[in-house]
Amino acid sequence: MMGFTYPESESPRMCFNSAKSWQLGWYDDKNIEVDPLKESWHGQLVGIADYGRGDYLDRFGFKVIAKLISPDEDNTYYVHFNRKTGINEETNEGEDQVLVTKAVSKRGWPRSSNLEAKLNAGESYFIEDFGDTGETVVVLVNAISKEQSPWFADIWITSADEVPPTNPSIKPPTLPPTARPSPKPTPRPSPKPTPRPSPNPTARPSPNPT
């Protein structure tokens, strides 16, 4: 069990939110920092429970948590896909949705985190006056792909004037099939030799007596 305290010692099976996980340094090698005021980011997020599938995630560039870099370090946004499975199978809010969490700090010291948005495929969350810049940043869920394992959310994080159209029919990446080795040929047993019948002996005639 992780996160908010419950009376049970072994349940519910649910994880810290993305802000707390980032602060603890978890999933670091699968996290990404995004600066939406400089460049749009388009990528795929998998659930925390699928972090262990490292080879698959590396192959397709999947991430676990996206942190939005902001000039205002005391108000930081994090995005993750709250997949309800594995170590997070008993999460009770925002199941299988993309969650936007805001971490509030004071002079760099984390104080609290708040759930700002729960997004389904095709939905967006607008962060107005992002980092006190007057700019609006958008977190857009292009699609949530459930056709394979692991599920993933296809995400755009960008400024409001560069929002792309959504494409809910996005196709999931697929791994190439693993070639199965051909079975070794089974040797055929050699046929037993067929014995040739011995020819009947030819009787030699006895010489006539002289």
Side-chain angles (χ1 to χ4, degrees), residues 43-62:
Q44 293 77 38
L45 300 178
V46 297
I48 287 170
D50 291 310
Y51 166 75
R53 302 182 63 173
D55 291 344
Y56 187 95
L57 306 191
D58 290 341
R59 185 163 192 171
F60 292 105
F62 288 171

Side-chain angles (χ1 to χ4, degrees), residues 59-189:
R59 185 163 192 171
F60 292 105
F62 288 171
K63 301 298 180 182
V64 175
I65 301 172
K67 175 185 177 181
L68 280 61
I69 299 174
S70 169
D72 179 8
E73 296 182 356
D74 287 341
N75 293 277
T76 308
Y77 291 85
Y78 300 84
V79 182
H80 83 287
F81 178 38
N82 192 37
R83 177 75 175 98
K84 186 175 182 178
T85 189
I87 60 173
N88 198 44
E89 66 182 3
E90 293 180 318
T91 184
N92 54 24
E93 185 175 9
E95 300 96 327
D96 298 327
Q97 294 179 297
V98 172
L99 306 186
V100 181
T101 303
K102 179 181 178 182
V104 180
S105 307
K106 187 173 183 180
R107 292 189 292 275
W109 289 93
R111 300 184 63 183
S112 63
S113 57
N114 305 305
L115 178 60
E116 299 290 314
K118 298 179 286 187
L119 304 175
N120 295 309
E123 295 182 339
S124 303
Y125 176 65
F126 291 79
I127 307 172
E128 297 181 350
D129 194 21
F130 179 74
D132 293 327
T133 63
E135 300 288 339
T136 298
V137 166
V138 183
V139 178
L140 182 151
V141 182
N142 186 47
I144 295 177
S145 181
K146 305 176 182 180
E147 300 176 13
Q148 75 299 307
S149 178
W151 292 11
F152 68 86
D154 189 79
I155 306 289
W156 279 94
I157 300 174
T158 183
S159 62
D161 56 355
E162 297 182 7
V163 178
T166 58
N167 178 21
S169 61
I170 185 171
K171 296 294 184 182
T174 55
L175 287 172
T178 303
R180 293 185 179 181
S182 302
K184 294 181 179 179
T186 305
R188 294 183 178 179

